[in-house]
DNA sequence: CTATTGTAGTTGATAGATCAACCGACGCTG
DNA sequence: CAGCGTCGGTTGATCTATCAACTACAATAG
C-alpha cells in the first residue's frame, strides 16, 4: 500500500515521530493521572486548574480564563470547578465590575492540597518524561514541540462552545 | 516558588518541553478529529481501528489486539467496535481455535471508507504536525519520543480493566 | 432610551471511555 | 477428569467532556 495520498512524507521517520507522539502521550498521561488519583484523589485536570489559580493574581481567575488555559470548553470548566468547589478547594466569587463574570478562587485548603499533590506530580513527570532525556535533548524537544499548533496558539475555533486555544505558561508545582 | 521538590530539573527547557508536549497534543488531536468527523463522520479512534485492521493479516484482529494498539481498555474497544459494526464497516467473526476470542474484520465498505478518510487524515497530520519539521528533525523526534513509556511499551497495568500497553506500528493510511 | 449584537456562564442531553463485576472457555495440576 | 487460576470479551454503572440551547448582563448603534 505505501503511505500514499498527499505530499506524503508520511514514511519511516515521520511516522515514527507521529506514532511516538500519540502513543507516548496516551501512556504517560494515563499513568500520571493514576498516580495523582491514587495518592491525592485529584485528576491531572484538577491539578492543572488549582495550579493556574495558585499562579494567578489574588489566586483567582475568571472561568473563561481557566477554560483557555486548560483547553477545556466553558461548560467543561463549569463542571470541573463545581467539583472542586464541592471539595472545598475553590470558591466562586462574583465580579463587581462585570456581573457576567464569576471568579474561581483557590482556598487555603486547595492551596495546601496543591502543594502536597505537587510532589507526586512533579516526580511523575520527572520519572515518565524528563528522565528519558539529557538537558540538551530537552532543549531540542522544547524547541521542536514549541512550533506545533496549540503550543503556539494557532488553534482554529469553529463550533458552538468553541474549542479554546492553548496558552503556554510556567511552572508545574507551587512552593 | 521555583519549581521545587524532587530532583527537579523541571526548569526552563524541561518545562517548555513538557508543556509543549501536552498542549500541542491537545490542540492537534482536537483539530484532526474535527476534520475527520466533518468530512467523513469518523473519529480518529474509528480511523485508527479501521487502519489497524486494514494492515492486519486477513484484515482481521482479535479484540484484545485492537485494545493494545489503540491504548483503549477492552471494554472501550468492545463499544467502539459495536459502533463500527452498526455502520457496516466491521464484522465480528468468532475464532475456531479458541472460542474465547472474537475477531473484528474489516468489510469492503469499511475499507473504502478508510481510503477516503485517509486522504483527509494524512493531509491533516502533514499540515498540523509534519510540516513544522525538516526530515532530520523528524528523525530526531522519532528517536526521542520513541524512548517514552507507551511508545516503547513500558506501561504498568494495575486495575481491573487494565490500561493496555501501546505498540508501535506502521503507516497512517491505506492504498 | 431602546434595540441589537456579543460575551460569560450554566444547564440538559448525549457520546466516549473507564472501572468493576461477570461469564464462558482454556489449560494446567494433581 | 475434576478443580483452579487465567484469559478474552461483554455488560452495567459512572464519570468526563462535549454540543447546543439558554439566561443574564454589557456594550454599541440608531
Amino acid at each position: 500500500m505505501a503511505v500514499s495520498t498527499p505530499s506524503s512524507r508520511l514514511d519511516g521517520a515521520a511516522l515514527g515521530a507521529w506514532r511516538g507522539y500519540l502513543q507516548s502521550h496516551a501512556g504517560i498521561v494515563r499513568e500520571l493521572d493514576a498516580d495523582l488519583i491514587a495518592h491525592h484523589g485529584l485528576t491531572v485536570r484538577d491539578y492543572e486548574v488549582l495550579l493556574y489559580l495558585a499562579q494567578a493574581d489574588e489566586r483567582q481567575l475568571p472561568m473563561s480564563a481557566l477554560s483557555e488555559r486548560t483547553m477545556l470548553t466553558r461548560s467543561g470548566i463549569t463542571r470541573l470547578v463545581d467539583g472542586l468547589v464541592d471539595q472545598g478547594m475553590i470558591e466562586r466569587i462574583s465580579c463587581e465590575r462585570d456581573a457576567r463574570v464569576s471568579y474561581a478562587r483557590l482556598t487555603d485548603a486547595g492551596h495546601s492540597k496543591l502543594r502536597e499533590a505537587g510532589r507526586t506530580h512533579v516526580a511523575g513527570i520527572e520519572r515518565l518524561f524528563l528522565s528519558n532525556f539529557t538537558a540538551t535533548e530537552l532543549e531540542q524537544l522544547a524547541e521542536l514541540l514549541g512550533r506545533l499548533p496549540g503550543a503556539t496558539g494557532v488553534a482554529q475555533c469553529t463550533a458552538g462552545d468553541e474549542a479554546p486555544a492553548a496558552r503556554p505558561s510556567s511552572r508545574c508545582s507551587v512552593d
Side-chain angles (χ1 to χ4, degrees), chain A:
Chain A
M1 24 174 142
V3 178
S4 80
T5 4
S7 51
S8 236
R9 304 187 319 168
L10 207 31
D11 53 358
L15 223 172
W18 176 244
R19 283 219 177 273
Y21 182 70
L22 286 187
Q23 297 187 318
S24 65
H25 181 275
I28 291 178
V29 169
R30 190 192 295 273
E31 192 160 335
L32 282 179
D33 220 42
D35 257 30
L36 215 44
I37 291 171
H39 299 351
H40 300 100
L42 284 182
T43 66
V44 168
R45 293 277 195 215
D46 293 335
Y47 182 86
E48 264 186 282
V49 166
L50 297 183
L51 181 58
Y52 281 123
L53 292 179
Q55 295 173 345
D57 212 43
E58 300 278 338
R59 287 188 186 163
Q60 66 181 31
L61 285 174
M63 302 297 282
S64 51
L66 282 176
S67 161
E68 286 173 19
R69 286 167 171 71
T70 57
M71 303 274 302
L72 291 176
T73 58
R74 291 197 305 278
S75 81
I77 275 294
T78 293
R79 276 150 177 147
L80 179 51
V81 166
D82 282 348
L84 291 170
V85 168
D86 290 347
Q87 295 175 60
M89 312 231 206
I90 282 182
E91 52 194 350
R92 281 178 202 277
I93 298 187
S94 51
C95 177
E96 297 178 354
R97 307 187 159 246
D98 184 337
R100 288 172 303 180
V101 340
S102 87
Y103 290 98
R105 173 143 79 194
L106 191 61
T107 63
D108 288 346
H111 194 252
S112 314
K113 190 75 180 178
L114 176 62
R115 294 191 55 171
E116 293 167 29
R119 287 188 257 285
T120 303
H121 192 239
V122 170
I125 294 172
E126 167 72 26
R127 175 169 54 91
L128 296 170
F129 186 78
L130 302 177
S131 69
N132 296 283
F133 308 112
T134 66
T136 312
E137 288 168 343
L138 282 173
E139 282 175 34
Q140 285 177 19
L141 266 180
E143 199 278 311
L144 293 174
L145 295 175
R147 297 182 201 167
L148 293 172
T152 53
V154 178
Q156 294 190 10
C157 305
T158 46
D161 250 341
E162 79 288 343
R167 275 209 4 181
S169 162
S170 349
R171 304 234 180 68
C172 265
S173 69
V174 286
D175 144 291

